[in-house]
Amino acid sequence: MPKKGKKAKAPLSDEEQLLLFQQKMLAEEEMAKKKERLLSQFLKDKLAKEEHNSALNLNKINTQWRTVLREIKTRELHKDIEILSQTFERVVDCKNSVIKSLAKDLSEAEEQYAHALRSHLHNIDQLLALQRCRLSLLEESYNRELEALTKEFETERAETMPYLL
């Protein structure tokens, strides 16, 4: 007795075998295309993820590089500021020295001026005293001559008056 549920397989004809073979080939081809699409999608996703991670890492690296460059630039600027500060201090010291020297020269010039003024005023006072003395002598001489002339005039007048009258 044959078992139920199982049919005996009849041999397939060439056409059916070809059809079956074509179906298998189509199914395999479909599977291969599906695998290829899945693999392609997987690789695309992986590439997108890698590009995203590369962009993030590049951003992190750029941020760290900028931080390093800022630190270097900060050190350079601090060094430049220190040099400029020292230069400024030297210039200020030099100018203070010049100012002190000029103040000393001005003080000496004022002392010389005051001395010259005192000397000049003393000389003017002496010249005025000399001129007063000469004027006094001239005035005395004038008064003597005037007195002598007046006496002579009076004498001559007295002598000539009797003749005129």
Side-chain angles (χ1 to χ4, degrees):
M1 221 173 128
K3 291 186 179 178
K4 279 188 177 179
K6 284 194 178 182
K7 287 185 182 177
K9 285 190 178 180
L12 297 175
S13 69
D14 284 342
E15 238 179 66
E16 288 176 337
Q17 283 181 355
L18 183 62
L19 243 159
L20 188 60
F21 180 71
Q22 284 178 347
Q23 283 178 348
K24 278 185 180 180
M25 289 301 282
L26 278 174
E28 283 179 11
E29 196 176 310
E30 264 310 299
M31 286 297 280
K33 283 184 181 179
K34 188 175 180 182
K35 262 187 177 178
E36 192 177 318
R37 279 195 307 266
L38 283 174
L39 184 61
S40 176
Q41 186 61 41
F42 173 75
L43 291 176
K44 283 180 184 177
D45 290 345
K46 189 172 183 175
L47 178 64
K49 188 176 180 181
E50 281 298 318
E51 286 176 347
H52 176 72
N53 287 339
S54 290
L56 285 177
N57 287 337
L58 183 62
N59 190 22
K60 286 179 186 177
I61 289 171
N62 281 338
T63 302
Q64 290 172 349
W65 181 242
R66 285 186 190 122
T67 303
V68 168
L69 290 178
R70 277 190 205 111
E71 289 174 3
I72 291 171
K73 190 65 173 179
T74 301
R75 278 188 243 128
E76 288 175 359
L77 290 174
H78 280 284
K79 197 179 293 182
D80 289 348
I81 288 171
E82 183 63 30
I83 291 169
L84 289 173
S85 175
Q86 291 172 356
T87 303
F88 176 75
E89 288 299 322
R90 276 197 309 270
V91 169
V92 167
D93 289 344
C94 182
K95 289 188 178 191
N96 282 340
S97 170
V98 169
I99 289 171
K100 286 179 184 177
S101 173
L102 290 174
K104 181 181 174 188
D105 290 349
L106 180 63
S107 175
E108 289 175 1
E110 286 174 345
E111 286 178 21
Q112 287 177 358
Y113 171 75
H115 179 70
L117 181 63
R118 283 192 303 272
S119 176
H120 175 70
L121 291 175
H122 178 71
N123 288 340
I124 293 293
D125 288 343
Q126 285 181 342
L127 287 173
L128 283 173
L130 182 63
Q131 279 300 103
R132 284 187 192 115
C133 182
R134 285 182 61 207
L135 186 62
S136 169
L137 290 175
L138 287 173
E139 192 175 350
E140 285 176 16
S141 171
Y142 171 76
N143 285 337
R144 274 184 291 192
E145 285 182 24
L146 180 64
E147 194 176 305
L149 284 173
T150 306
K151 280 185 185 179
E152 186 180 331
F153 176 72
E154 287 298 325
T155 309
E156 284 181 15
R157 184 191 231 187
E159 288 177 3
T160 57
M161 259 325 220
Y163 296 117
L164 288 175
L165 288 172

